[in-house]
Amino acid sequence: CPYNSIPYDYRMSQMWVEGTLGIVPKLAPKIMLNEEGQNITLSDNTAMFAKWAKRWQDEEPYRFTKAIHNYAATNLIPRHLGPEYVIHGAKLYSPWDPSRTEITLVISEWFFDRSLNLIRSLDSKDHPFSKV
């Protein structure tokens, strides 16, 4: 199914918009190909989504839980995580240890003297960079 190529939270919003407004999402042409590279046609689900929208029009159609969290390609260190049991899309990294690795900040500019204010500010501040 081409919808497997769409993040679930985005697909849920597409279904809600299709059901409440009748706007069918446009999918990328590459998603609309089968394994042999031929175009496929999807079934028309607008009526079913409209039925769902009518059923849930006076209530909150989505349920929120602390058991799962969608970090969708977010870079994190472990202390940023909450109480979730299932984590979607997070890339976990170890915190930076300045005693093991030095970091150099490189500042480039397109126009003369545009970065002087930043460099002067860094000179008077405490920052994690070993060199600027």
Side-chain angles (χ1 to χ4, degrees):
C1 175
Y3 290 119
N4 293 337
S5 302
I6 302 170
Y8 71 90
D9 50 347
Y10 184 58
R11 181 63 190 134
M12 287 170 44
S13 66
Q14 285 178 332
M15 291 166 33
W16 187 251
V17 168
E18 186 172 346
T20 57
L21 303 176
I23 299 171
V24 179
K26 298 200 182 307
L27 300 176
K30 286 187 178 179
I31 293 177
M32 299 301 293
L33 300 176
N34 64 14
E35 291 79 21
E36 288 82 34
Q38 300 167 331
N39 285 324
I40 59 172
T41 304
L42 299 176
S43 57
D44 182 355
N45 294 317
T46 305
M48 178 179 60
F49 296 153
K51 181 179 173 184
W52 291 352
K54 186 175 181 182
R55 159 65 179 93
W56 293 97
Q57 68 184 353
D58 297 325
E59 298 179 43
E60 180 66 46
Y62 302 106
R63 300 291 184 249
F64 297 94
T65 177
K66 291 185 179 184
I68 184 170
H69 194 90
N70 181 7
Y71 287 103
T74 304
N75 297 328
L76 298 170
I77 57 175
R79 69 184 169 116
H80 292 137
L81 294 176
E84 306 88 14
Y85 295 104
V86 179
I87 298 170
H88 169 72
K91 295 177 184 163
L92 293 178
Y93 295 92
S94 297
W96 170 62
D97 181 358
S99 66
R100 295 180 59 199
T101 308
E102 293 183 344
I103 296 178
T104 300
L105 174 64
V106 177
I107 302 170
S108 59
E109 62 184 357
W110 291 102
F111 299 103
F112 181 70
D113 290 342
R114 296 279 177 129
S115 62
L116 286 179
N117 186 42
L118 173 62
I119 292 171
R120 283 189 197 114
S121 176
L122 285 170
D123 285 343
S124 64
K125 303 276 193 239
D126 182 28
H127 57 74
F129 308 110
S130 53
K131 295 179 186 176
V132 177

